[in-house]
Structures are given as C-alpha cells and as structure tokens.
Amino acid sequence: MTEFRFDQWLDLYATRVNMMRSSEVREMLAVAARPDVISFGGGMPDTRVFPMNQIVEATQRVMLREGHAALQYGSSEGHVGLRRHIAAIMSEVDTAIGVDDIIITDGAQQALEFIAKIFISKGDTIIVEAPSYVGALQAFMSYEPEVVGIPVDDCGMQTDILAVELERLRKEGRQPKFVYVTPNFHNPAGVTLIEERRRHIIELSEKYGFVVVEDDPYGKIRFRGENEIAMRSMDERVIYIGTFSKIFSPGMRLGWVVAPKAILEKLIFAKQAANLCSSSFSQHVTDEYLSSFDWQKNIDDLVDLYRERCATMISALEEFFPEGATWTKPDGGLFIWATLPEGLDSGELLAESIREAKVAYVPGRAFYVGVQKNSSLRLNFSYCPSETIEEGIKRLGAVVKQQLALYRSLFKGYSPGKDKNKNKK
Ligand SMILES: Cc1ncc(COP(=O)(O)O)c(C=O)c1O
C-alpha cells in the first residue's frame, strides 16, 4: 500500500514554496464575507460611496470611442494617457517625473513582487519595517531572503537602529539589497515617517549602497496636517510605488512604479514575463475618469468620511477598551494599530473575538517575520459605517476585558499600565 500523503507533490515544489505563507489578511477577508461578522480586518475602501454614475459614464464613453483599444493588449509600460495623469499626480510629490519614468502595474502589489524578483536571490538580505505591510512580506519571502526588521515608533522607522544594523551587516560582509518603507500612514502602524528620518534613510542609502523602496498608497488619504516630502523627491534613485486602489478603485487593479531608467528596464522584463501588460480596459476607463471628472473632490469626500469613521473608532476605543490598552491616532490612511494590555496575545484572542463577538481584525503577528506572539491588532476604519464601528469596538472591548479578567485571575498581582491616556500621539 502506498503511504498516504496530504500533498503528493511535496517533493516536487521549489524550495521557495516553503517560505510562502497564506496571508492572515486574506483569511480575514474570507471571514469578513460572512454577513454576521463585523470586520475590521481588510484594508478596503468603502466602494458603496463611490461615484458610480461617473464610472458608468467613463466606461460607456471609452467603449463607444475606443472600445477596440480597451479590449486589446496594450504596451507593457502602460497606457500613455494614464501615465500622463500619473505624472501629474506625482508632480505633487516630485515635479521632475515624466511619462517615461513610470510603468503601470497590477496594483502596488505587483510592483512589490517585481522588485522582489529583480533584487532578491536566495539568502540576500533585505530590510523592512517591523511591523510591515503583510503583502510586501509575502511578495519578498517567496524569493527566500534574510529579513532584518527595524522597529517603528510614532515617527516611523527608527533610523538610528537602522544605522546600527547596517554597520553590523557591513561587519558581517552582508550587503542589504533594499530598505522597504511605507512612509505615509503606515500599514499597519498608522504612523508617518518624519522628514528628518526620511533624509537619514537617503543618507544611509548613499553610505551603504542599498536601494530605497518607498511604498505610498495612503499619502493622499490625509485627514489633517501637511504632506511630508517624498523620499523620491530627495533622491532620484529611490523606487516609488503608487496605486489607484485607495484613491479610485482597488477593483481596477492599477498601480505604478517610478524608478531610475536601469531599474525600470528590469521591471519591464518582469512585467512582460508576468502578464505582458495590465488590463487595457481598466487603464482606459481610469484615464477617462481622471480626464472627465473632479476626482480630487471625490477623494476629498472619501477623506471626510474616513476622518469621521476614524474619530468614531477612537472614541469607541476610549469608551470600551480596558485600561492599559493603547492605540495610534492617525492623521490619515485606513488603520488604527491598537495594543492590548500586557499579557494578552491578539492572535489567541482572535478566535474568541470571532466566536463570541463576531468581530474580526488582523492580529499583530501577521506583520512580522518570525513572530508568534504579539499584543497588537490592526483595525480598519474605512469600510464599516460609523454605527457598525461603534458596535464592533463595543463587542471587541467586552471580549478583551473578559480575557484580561481571566489572565489576571491566573496571574494574581498583575496590573496593567496605570495611565489610560498614555496613547501614542
Ligand atoms: C502598504 C501597501 N502597499 C501595497 C498595497 C497593495 O495595494 P494594491 O491594491 O495597489 O495592490 C497595500 C494594500 O493594502 C498596502 O497597504
């Protein structure tokens, strides 16, 4: 009799498959699809408030005017009209960018995959924030790198620690390939990298010869304050990644990369090998939408809505979470990063939260490489209406309090931090 094996192809897979892991965010989205669950799990914009009439009109115009092109293959670099719009959008960040400095990708996610593909050989060192966007970790890990995580505080990646790590790596003879940062309204931490640290990363990149990868999906989702200067505008060698997912529609699956010519050439090879070109249909419709409608006003409306939902979530956390819990108060983006009182693990709590409270979130450990226990959780506030946010945080708070009481009864003498208002920022 042949031995039963769960996966009969186990010996045939490439070694990189061992490094691939399913994303807890995606699993959460599956749970979130159940109508009885309130999900703070995904990173989804609220498509229910999108300007549907405008999108219908843009689609109709494209099909009547240039349907043949919209239904055809396009260039690997992407539709020129759309790249012109991107150059204009980027002019807020860096005026020097032209159409030929940009290639269009299937969302920012594909850009991350390509960057991993062209820079990482097995065993190479890369540097990320800790915590870091889970989708970037997934893209990078399948190329089998050694990952160094640099902790993030209220001002973003702690570049003094980065400098120490770079020196350590140099002594060990290891050349980091790139440093990956999400400078604006970090996913998951919600924080923004301050200018001084942006400049420090650029200085360090000159000294240690790594590439800076600046991933900026949330820069335009700002509720208050002034934009920080982009690293791409400080140094043309920076790779900048943008996306239409948060400012228009994730369903279009369109993002872009700006990179120095030599790197762009390699990215185009990767694009051709992956899928020849991004959807012509999406690109034409997005181009038409940006040409014909006041898309900036649509973003402003969306930002107003997210500001209000973020404020609702913060008030609900203040009301319903126990003493000792802390959370970020972001100036933009889609996420709050909450930290539970000492002793509680957000991963263990999740099953209880889904079962008891019917509330989903992403546990902190998903955003680290090699971390099993973590007391933080990522809470999305862009998707649910305010009343649902309040209800969800109320139910989640009750589960947290219940687990905390259990923990305290097991470990007598335990006392969380005294100051309830000790929240970051
Ligand atoms: C930091 C970051 N980078 C990239 C992406 C991927 O975005 P896209 O939908 O453009 O692929 C996301 C999505 O949430 C993100 O948060």
Side-chain angles (χ1 to χ4, degrees), residues 329-391:
K329 291 182 175 165
D331 291 329
L334 308 186
F335 307 108
I336 287 175
W337 182 241
T339 302
L340 301 173
E342 207 189 318
L344 294 186
D345 173 42
S346 60
E348 281 168 18
L349 192 90
L350 180 63
E352 202 61 18
S353 170
I354 291 175
R355 198 173 46 236
E356 291 271 312
K358 300 222 169 359
V359 174
Y361 58 82
V362 185
R365 65 169 186 233
F367 303 96
Y368 296 86
V369 175
V371 165
Q372 295 311 321
K373 277 189 172 290
N374 185 273
S375 60
S376 296
L377 46 145
R378 191 190 75 177
L379 298 167
N380 168 267
F381 53 76
S382 59
Y383 186 70
C384 296
S386 286
E387 316 77 72
T388 316
I389 290 178
E390 212 176 313
E391 175 62 22

Side-chain angles (χ1 to χ4, degrees), residues 26 43-44 105-112 133-136 180 182 185-187 215-218 241-246 249-250 253-256 334-335 378:
R26 304 287 167 251
M44 297 189 290
T105 52
D106 291 7
Q109 189 64 34
Q110 192 179 45
L112 291 167
Y133 166 53
V134 61
Y180 168 71
T182 303
F185 316 125
H186 187 272
N187 176 3
D215 186 10
D216 186 21
Y218 304 108
I241 305 174
T243 178
F244 286 107
S245 287
K246 317 295 170 179
S249 150
R253 299 312 299 128
L254 293 175
W256 68 89
L334 308 186
F335 307 108
R378 191 190 75 177

Side-chain angles (χ1 to χ4, degrees), residues 48-260:
R48 292 163 295 210
V49 299
F50 277 21
M52 293 305 171
N53 290 342
Q54 296 178 2
I55 300 167
V56 168
E57 213 176 305
T59 309
Q60 191 172 30
R61 276 190 217 162
V62 162
M63 293 317 285
L64 293 176
R65 192 182 58 222
E66 55 201 20
H68 61 284
L71 298 177
Q72 191 53 275
Y73 291 109
S75 78
S76 299
E77 291 84 351
H79 181 40
V80 177
L82 186 57
R83 281 190 286 147
R84 269 193 214 109
H85 280 296
I86 294 170
I89 293 170
M90 290 286 301
S91 67
E92 287 173 24
V93 169
D94 187 341
T95 45
I97 290 165
V99 165
D100 294 337
D101 300 312
I102 300 163
I103 69 164
I104 291 174
T105 52
D106 291 7
Q109 189 64 34
Q110 192 179 45
L112 291 167
E113 163 70 21
F114 291 167
I115 287 163
K117 188 170 192 174
I118 69 169
F119 282 108
I120 306 173
S121 296
K122 185 175 178 173
D124 281 349
T125 301
I126 61 164
I127 300 180
V128 300
E129 292 153 312
S132 199
Y133 166 53
V134 61
L137 296 179
Q138 275 191 299
F140 301 157
M141 291 314 283
S142 57
Y143 291 90
E144 304 173 272
E146 299 283 332
V147 180
V148 175
I150 306 296
V152 165
D153 65 14
D154 285 355
C155 301
M157 179 185 265
Q158 297 186 47
T159 54
D160 50 343
I161 299 180
L162 173 65
V164 171
E165 281 298 292
L166 285 165
E167 205 42 44
R168 178 182 68 81
L169 292 169
R170 172 136 89 184
K171 286 193 182 123
E172 289 174 8
R174 290 162 67 188
Q175 167 67 56
K177 293 295 188 76
F178 59 77
V179 171
Y180 168 71
V181 275
T182 303
N184 296 316
F185 316 125
H186 187 272
N187 176 3
V191 296
T192 291
L193 187 65
I194 56 170
E195 182 177 339
E196 188 190 318
R197 291 191 185 175
R198 293 179 191 226
R199 295 201 183 280
H200 195 192
I201 293 173
I202 299 291
E203 268 168 38
L204 292 168
S205 76
E206 276 163 24
K207 182 168 174 194
Y208 292 95
F210 57 81
V211 176
V212 176
V213 179
E214 177 176 32
D215 186 10
D216 186 21
Y218 304 108
K220 279 181 132 344
I221 311 293
R222 174 176 278 283
F223 313 150
R224 57 188 147 257
E226 293 298 309
N227 287 341
E228 287 286 350
I229 182 167
M231 284 187 280
R232 173 60 177 71
S233 73
M234 296 174 181
D235 185 343
E236 289 187 353
R237 294 168 313 151
V238 168
I239 301 180
Y240 179 99
I241 305 174
T243 178
F244 286 107
S245 287
K246 317 295 170 179
I247 59 172
F248 180 35
S249 150
M252 290 289 171
R253 299 312 299 128
L254 293 175
W256 68 89
V257 199
V258 173

